[in-house]
Amino acid sequence: MERLPVIAIIGRPNVGKSTLFNRLVGKKLALVDDRPGVTRDRREGDAHLFGLDFRVIDTAGYEDEDPKSLPGRMRQQTERAIAEADAALFLFDARAGLTPLDEEIARWLRGTETPVVLVGNKAEGNAGEAGLYESYGLGLGDPVALSAEHGEGMADLFARLQPYVEREAGAEADGEPEEGGPLKLAIVGRPNAGKSTLINKMLDDDRLITGPEAGITRDSIAVPWEWQGRPVELIDTAGMRKRARVKDKLEKLSVADGLRAVDFAEVVVLLLDATKGLELQDLKIADHVISEGRAIIVAINKWDVAEDRKGLFEGIETALGEGLAQVRGVPLVSISAVTGKGIDHLIETAFATREAWSRRVPTGELNRWFRDAIERNPPPAPKGRRIKLRYMTQARTRPPSFVLFGTRVDHLPKSYERYLLNGIRNELGFGAVPVRLTVRAPKNPYQDGSDGR
């Protein structure tokens, strides 16, 4: 019988280790109680998570005790379990935030050879947001936010465990990065911009119904495709008119379905009609795409019948720069869905845009840039009291999201945040993809004085 990969759960007492263990094995094998220290021996079970099969170990709560005492012997069992595991899940209570014991466990785990996945439990709703941001300071990478009791966040846990479980199970690695799967490309725009015609041309097949009537497409249709040997999932959506003009209930449902399709896309192509130019509704659609954190490309369709092409292109480019100030330099390409001209350039741009959207900056490189940025332009000192910016970490990709830690950051002007965001985009290779920045004060910041000076 083949050995299953082993995943050990570790954390201080009463953070929900046994609850997560029970959820992973699908049975209530471990006792769960509000009192700390219920689990004493290692408990093992076969876990199943969205097709991943592995052996999971529920360890006793890690406590700093004399090795001869009962808690000390329990800790020794935990240390043995971690040494034997292929990866460890380090659980902390996101609602309660970090404790000195959490920080001690993190220091110990950083010194082991076992890969560690940081997990913020009890993070249902927004209850654990502050604790999750605080946990970036542990130096164990991005936390997975979940609720073991309610089953929230298990898909994110699957994504983080998959590389360790499949590697140890002997699954063949194809060497592709996370963004190496099918490019999920949604085509959005106003009615009759040529979305279905464009997809039919890509497929070289009349796969979708087209015609001069606006509103033929009602459902968001996902169609698999391959471009130069690279997989693409094309998503056609219903035309999006101004809300005031959408009276029919079915059309309302179709537009809502199209908006939801944006959530499942990686890159969104906003298709314009060259004979109509850029309208306010187009900017509203683009703003929705950006607010959802999706990468966007603007494509001017019907280029083969456009008049004054140079003036049209420059006019749209200027209007996009003014109307989408939060993301400057959105890629703008011209195409013809009828002739196929420009489609290869569009797809090539989409893959490059996804690469930027998926980019992760190493913490060292990020903070070298960060130190240079604040040296070039130090943060202000409102009422003579310094805002001290400490460090920055990339919380996630897709969209790229960063967390800035410092003291008195609640007084940091939005203009300074924009300065940092623009620097991240322009100097760290993110281009025009949406980038997010959150500022956080550490729970126990270093003190330079009672007023932060």
Side-chain angles (χ1 to χ4, degrees):
M1 184 176 177
E2 291 187 9
R3 170 189 176 274
L4 284 174
V6 176
I7 305 296
I9 306 174
I10 185 173
R12 63 179 175 83
N14 214 30
V15 293
K17 298 185 298 298
S18 294
T19 304
L20 178 58
F21 174 88
N22 285 342
R23 181 164 292 280
L24 290 172
V25 300
K27 302 174 185 176
K28 290 187 177 181
L29 296 182
L31 295 178
V32 177
D33 192 85
D34 289 337
R35 292 169 295 177
V38 172
T39 301
R40 289 182 171 175
D41 288 304
R42 290 160 38 179
R43 187 182 299 275
E44 300 187 21
D46 290 337
H48 311 280
L49 182 62
F50 302 126
L52 290 182
D53 295 320
F54 54 94
R55 190 82 176 157
V56 64
I57 302 176
D58 178 24
T59 66
Y62 191 97
E63 300 189 58
D64 186 13
E65 296 285 350
D66 184 331
K68 295 181 180 178
S69 67
L70 176 59
R73 296 197 303 275
M74 288 158 56
R75 190 186 73 181
Q76 287 181 325
Q77 284 289 320
T78 296
E79 291 174 346
R80 283 184 56 191
I82 297 300
E84 296 168 6
D86 297 304
L89 298 179
F90 173 27
L91 243 64
F92 68 96
D93 186 331
R95 283 186 304 195
L98 297 180
T99 69
L101 183 52
D102 289 318
E103 293 169 356
E104 179 188 333
I105 296 170
R107 282 194 296 272
W108 170 67
L109 286 171
R110 287 198 301 269
T112 69
E113 296 182 359
T114 304
V116 178
V117 175
L118 185 61
V119 179
N121 191 27
K122 307 181 186 180
E124 55 269 22
N126 296 320
E129 185 177 359
L132 290 167
Y133 282 122
E134 186 184 2
S135 71
Y136 287 106
L138 294 176
L140 292 172
D142 303 346
V144 175
L146 60 77
S147 169
E149 183 176 356
H150 298 100
E152 297 177 11
M154 302 307 288
D156 293 329
L157 182 62
F158 164 85
R160 293 290 295 278
L161 281 179
Q162 186 179 21
Y164 304 114
V165 172
E166 290 189 345
R167 180 186 65 196
E168 296 304 326
E172 293 185 9
D174 59 10
E176 290 286 339
E178 180 185 2
E179 63 272 19
L183 167 65
K184 294 180 175 61
L185 187 67
I187 315 293
V188 303
R190 286 180 283 131
N192 222 22
K195 299 181 293 296
S196 298
T197 304
L198 173 60
I199 290 181
N200 283 345
K201 188 65 179 178
M202 291 173 171
L203 300 173
D204 194 24
D205 182 25
D206 291 336
R207 170 65 174 78
L208 304 175
I209 301 172
T210 61
E213 304 88 354
I216 290 177
T217 300
R218 286 178 171 172
D219 298 310
S220 295
I221 307 296
V223 184
W225 182 49
E226 192 172 276
W227 177 77
Q228 296 184 3
R230 305 178 75 177
V232 180
E233 188 173 289
L234 298 169
I235 307 168
D236 186 23
T237 62
M240 299 179 187
R241 295 196 293 166
K242 292 181 181 177
R243 185 176 297 177
R245 294 183 182 175
V246 180
K247 304 292 186 184
D248 180 68
K249 180 181 178 182
L250 185 56
E251 185 178 355
K252 288 181 180 179
L253 292 172
S254 297
V255 172
D257 190 47
L259 293 174
R260 281 195 299 273
V262 169
D263 298 340
F264 292 99
E266 296 170 325
V267 180
V268 177
V269 174
L270 171 59
L271 204 62
L272 307 182
D273 184 334
T275 65
K276 297 178 181 178
L278 182 74
E279 295 185 359
L280 180 60
Q281 178 66 1
D282 296 311
L283 290 175
K284 288 183 177 179
I285 296 171
D287 185 70
H288 172 78
V289 172
I290 293 166
S291 68
E292 291 298 317
R294 298 302 178 261
I296 187 169
I297 299 170
V298 177
I300 312 172
N301 190 26
K302 307 181 184 179
W303 195 246
D304 51 320
V305 297
E307 298 179 1
D308 185 19
R309 295 179 182 178
K310 184 174 184 295
L312 175 65
F313 193 92
E314 291 177 352
I316 291 176
E317 193 172 41
T318 301
L320 287 173
E322 294 173 352
L324 302 176
Q326 71 272 41
V327 179
R328 294 194 181 277
V330 169
L332 179 63
V333 300
S334 57
I335 66 168
S336 170
V338 171
T339 68
K341 186 175 177 62
I343 290 179
D344 281 344
H345 177 52
L346 172 64
I347 304 302
E348 186 178 2
T349 302
F351 273 104
T353 300
R354 181 178 71 165
E355 186 176 342
W357 186 64
S358 307
R359 174 167 161 69
R360 178 174 293 282
V361 183
T363 302
E365 179 186 341
L366 176 63
N367 281 281
R368 283 192 294 274
W369 168 84
F370 176 58
R371 286 192 293 271
D372 290 343
I374 59 179
E375 189 174 319
R376 290 194 303 266
N377 181 14
K383 298 182 181 180
R385 300 170 66 188
R386 288 177 57 198
I387 296 173
K388 193 151 189 178
L389 304 182
R390 303 250 174 225
Y391 64 96
M392 185 180 285
T393 186
Q394 185 171 356
R396 54 172 292 187
T397 62
R398 307 159 73 89
S401 304
F402 297 83
V403 184
L404 169 62
F405 293 90
T407 54
R408 305 191 70 246
V409 290
D410 52 327
H411 297 284
L412 193 68
K414 291 296 180 184
S415 59
Y416 198 85
E417 291 184 31
R418 286 195 296 272
Y419 160 70
L420 293 175
L421 279 171
N422 289 334
I424 289 170
R425 283 198 192 94
N426 299 332
E427 299 172 37
L428 294 178
F430 289 98
V433 301
V435 175
R436 293 173 174 170
L437 177 65
T438 304
V439 295
R440 284 286 182 270
K443 190 175 181 181
N444 295 304
Y446 298 101
Q447 294 296 318
D448 299 321
S450 60
D451 60 359
R453 287 182 289 181

